Amino acid sequence: MEFLTQIINGLSTGGMYALVAIGYTMVYGIAKMINFAHGEIIMVGAYLAYVMTSIVKVPIIVSVLVAIAGCALLGVVTEKVAYKPLRNSGSLAVLITAIGVSYLLQNLFLILFGSAARTFPQFMPSGTVSLFGAHITYVALLSLVLTFICTGLLLLFINKTKLGKAMRAVSEDRGAAELMGINVNTTISLTFAIGSGLGAIAGIIYGMSYSLINPYLGAMLGIKAFIAAVLGGIGSIQGAMVGGLIIGVAEAFTISYISSAFSDAVVFGILIFILLVKPAGLFGQNMREKV
Amino acid sequence: MLKVDHLNVYYGVIHAIKNVSFEVNQGEIVALIGANGAGKTSIMHAVSGLVKPKSGIISFMGEDITKLHAHKIIARKLAQVPEGRRIFAQLTVQDNLEMGAYLRTDNKINEDLEKVYQRFPRLKERRNQLAGTLSGGEQQMLAMGRALMSKPTLLLLDEPSMGLSPILVNEIFDIIKSINKDGVTVLLVEQNANKALSIADRAYVLETGNVIVSGKAADVANDSKVREAYLG
């Protein structure tokens, strides 16, 4: 059952992309900016988990929590220091700043840990389970389950809680939300915290799946997840999830049936295709420009 | 209750509001009337904290609120129904109303929700519908209901009649009167000067950022300059 195995492998890589894509899409929805430093947050998450487990030697659950909290904090601080002062300036200034933050983090970790890959600690036993004849690694299964749990909880939060509704209100009309008494700065911080926290989980899944981490890991992962967010319709959480899974499966199929050399080409091909055919993405709404 | 003193608002180099002073006393309906671009909405935004004035003092219940953020001003029970309604189109009607009560922590929220539904029965029928699917008049009612959910003592209404049919305009103005009767002070901004003056106690007439006439609504309505410019 090669075919089914590939689908499930694709879905599990896709789940990781989805978790990262949700970060892009949420930040875009609320702060109306593309946080190109998001990929580096994922890298920081992977390194935090590595440092806590392999160097500080705390229990796995503690290092996971430290990685999530650390990334959430890093996301909030990045927004306050780098993006907030630019809130009323053009989107190009914010974009360039985000790329700057991305290089800053990448190079900071190059100085701290060197460019050589580090071995990510083993968080769970290696091995496979058989499902309808397909062999799935524990890590792939965990990745898939975590993606669904995180997305489900997030959708519940956004749609059912007062704070989540307030976030949607801010995303729709910041001024009107302020008139309701919603603190826009707090809402933006919360968005960065949630997106970056999910990023940390994706970083840990990356480490568990590939068992080697280096300071560049966030770059390609970030771009692919960004494509997933665009594919799903940037601003839509369901879209980010579906987009991530599609990218993951497309990649897995290309690797196993064509050639691993083409996998990136296929992913970027999807981006070009969606931008030509349906620029708003699968779940996106056509935004009316306010004049 | 609300006192605006020598307010000046700039957008870049454009001097939108020039030394405007006015006040609103408890229990009144006060109308600000003027043509497009006279500065009515800028004044509303300055009072609510959405734009920061260059100079001047805005005080509410004796407290200087000029430099407060918008979300701190609504906490002082000064609510605004903004121009163009600005309801949250992707949220349901009920969620919109819930957002109006965002800062409230008391246990009377459901009671007030029922009161809003009594005032606007059509909103109750559509409580689970997305707000963006409502008609213009219903959206205006939702915007007003949303503001009432914060239990305001002063309600700012920016062009509530804009884009509505004459029958709906009458309905909205009746509702404004009844809200005022229930003890909410109202500051009303309108281009529909006739309508606004018919329910207001006092009025100020704005022209290119200046107050040119002010006084009792009936006197303003009889002012020859105002009649010529706005009432025809």
Side-chain angles (χ1 to χ4, degrees):
Chain A
M1 283 306 282
E2 170 70 10
F3 183 73
L4 191 60
T5 310
Q6 289 313 329
I7 287 203
I8 295 180
N9 281 342
L11 287 178
S12 91
T13 320
M16 182 174 73
Y17 292 152
L19 288 178
V20 182
I22 287 170
Y24 277 108
T25 229
M26 281 182 76
V27 164
Y28 180 82
I30 307 281
K32 307 291 177 229
M33 64 162 287
I34 305 286
N35 178 18
F36 271 119
H38 190 51
E40 270 54 49
I41 304 261
I42 288 71
M43 180 270 294
V44 173
Y47 269 91
L48 276 177
Y50 156 75
V51 167
M52 292 312 285
T53 310
S54 299
I55 299 175
V56 186
K57 297 197 190 305
V58 295
I60 288 169
I61 181 71
V62 178
S63 36
V64 170
L65 291 177
V66 168
I68 294 174
C71 281
L73 187 68
L74 179 62
V76 172
V77 171
T78 309
E79 193 274 327
K80 286 253 184 284
V81 174
Y83 306 143
K84 194 180 167 199
L86 298 171
R87 207 172 281 169
N88 295 319
S89 29
S91 53
L92 192 61
V94 185
L95 191 73
I96 294 169
T97 306
I99 294 172
V101 171
S102 149
Y103 278 113
L104 176 75
L105 289 172
Q106 218 175 70
N107 284 287
L108 180 69
F109 276 71
L110 269 174
I111 294 170
L112 289 174
F113 296 97
S115 61
R118 303 277 175 138
T119 308
F120 198 79
Q122 210 175 18
F123 271 17
M124 62 190 304
S126 57
T128 57
V129 286
S130 285
L131 207 73
F132 308 113
H135 298 290
I136 309 146
T137 63
Y138 290 142
V139 175
L141 205 61
L142 178 79
S143 157
L144 205 50
V145 170
L146 271 182
T147 306
F148 278 102
I149 292 177
C150 290
T151 315
L153 287 178
L154 190 61
L155 284 175
L156 265 182
F157 170 73
I158 293 282
N159 290 317
K160 297 288 171 212
T161 67
K162 187 166 149 185
L163 209 55
K165 288 172 192 172
M167 284 175 92
R168 284 157 62 209
V170 172
S171 136
E172 223 182 287
D173 187 334
R174 202 179 279 181
E178 272 188 83
L179 288 178
M180 303 297 109
I182 298 167
N183 186 335
V184 170
N185 286 331
T186 315
T187 312
I188 292 178
S189 293
L190 180 67
T191 310
F192 271 84
I194 294 176
S196 306
L198 290 175
I201 297 177
I204 293 167
I205 293 175
Y206 180 95
M208 287 161 70
S209 311
Y210 299 99
S211 59
L212 287 176
I213 56 172
N214 66 51
Y216 301 113
L217 73 86
M220 202 46 155
L221 179 59
I223 288 178
K224 284 184 184 164
F226 172 66
I227 294 173
V230 173
L231 171 62
I234 195 134
S236 154
I237 290 172
Q238 292 97 316
M241 161 112 182
V242 172
L245 296 179
I246 292 176
I247 295 281
V249 172
E251 216 182 26
F253 276 7
T254 315
I255 291 172
S256 67
Y257 295 116
I258 307 173
S259 156
S260 62
F262 278 114
S263 73
D264 291 347
V266 166
V267 172
F268 287 105
I270 292 177
L271 176 67
I272 295 170
F273 181 74
I274 196 79
L275 288 178
L276 286 174
V277 177
K278 200 170 186 303
L282 298 173
F283 289 72
Q285 287 148 346
N286 285 314
M287 288 291 179
R288 274 175 302 155
E289 283 287 325
K290 274 182 202 143
V291 285
Chain B
M1 183 177 211
L2 177 75
K3 203 165 174 346
V4 173
D5 201 18
H6 292 97
L7 184 71
N8 282 288
V9 175
Y10 285 77
Y11 296 108
V13 292
I14 299 163
H15 194 175
I17 301 297
K18 297 162 190 153
N19 265 326
V20 166
S21 301
F22 65 93
E23 57 186 315
V24 179
N25 302 315
Q26 185 107 34
E28 281 186 315
I29 299 182
V30 173
L32 281 178
I33 56 180
N36 250 341
K40 306 180 301 284
T41 296
S42 298
I43 293 176
M44 293 303 234
H45 282 186
V47 172
S48 283
L50 288 179
V51 298
K52 291 287 157 237
K54 185 143 196 174
S55 64
I57 293 172
I58 302 167
S59 61
F60 180 61
M61 309 296 273
E63 183 195 6
D64 182 355
I65 59 165
T66 320
K67 292 197 164 54
L68 290 184
H69 282 291
H71 63 90
K72 295 263 165 66
I73 290 176
I74 171 78
R76 284 158 176 74
K77 299 291 175 198
L78 194 169
Q80 187 191 152
V81 180
E83 184 183 11
R85 292 118 205 184
R86 292 171 76 170
I87 47 132
F88 303 115
Q90 302 292 322
L91 267 59
T92 63
V93 168
Q94 179 129 348
D95 286 347
N96 266 276
L97 294 172
E98 208 180 288
M99 285 298 107
Y102 184 75
L103 290 178
R104 286 176 59 186
T105 47
D106 56 270
N107 51 14
K108 294 234 166 77
I109 295 177
N110 281 329
E111 213 173 284
D112 285 322
L113 189 64
E114 274 315 309
K115 274 190 204 156
V116 168
Y117 281 144
Q118 261 168 33
R119 207 187 284 277
F120 305 106
R122 253 179 295 175
L123 295 183
K124 186 166 190 173
E125 289 165 27
R126 290 160 196 251
R127 61 205 297 173
N128 295 319
Q129 230 168 288
L130 289 185
T133 63
L134 299 183
S135 73
E138 289 161 350
Q139 290 192 7
Q140 184 61 45
M141 291 173 190
L142 178 58
M144 289 167 75
R146 186 177 68 174
L148 288 176
M149 286 302 290
S150 67
K151 283 218 134 184
T153 52
L154 173 61
L155 184 63
L156 311 185
L157 292 159
D158 196 346
E159 303 273 7
S161 75
M162 193 167 66
L164 300 183
S165 69
I167 295 173
L168 269 172
V169 171
N170 287 337
E171 196 177 326
I172 292 288
F173 275 88
D174 286 343
I175 292 166
I176 296 171
K177 267 195 288 188
S178 86
I179 290 171
N180 179 248
K181 273 214 185 69
D182 292 346
V184 181
T185 309
V186 173
L187 174 60
L188 173 67
V189 155
E190 261 299 341
Q191 280 192 56
N192 188 340
N194 263 325
K195 258 333 229 180
L197 290 173
S198 74
I199 64 163
D201 298 302
R202 290 187 305 112
Y204 295 83
V205 182
L206 279 170
E207 206 172 85
T208 56
N210 293 293
V211 171
I212 53 161
V213 178
S214 66
K216 284 211 170 80
D219 298 341
V220 171
N222 287 323
D223 185 286
S224 58
K225 260 197 299 189
V226 177
R227 294 196 68 85
E228 198 181 310
Y230 302 102
L231 303 174

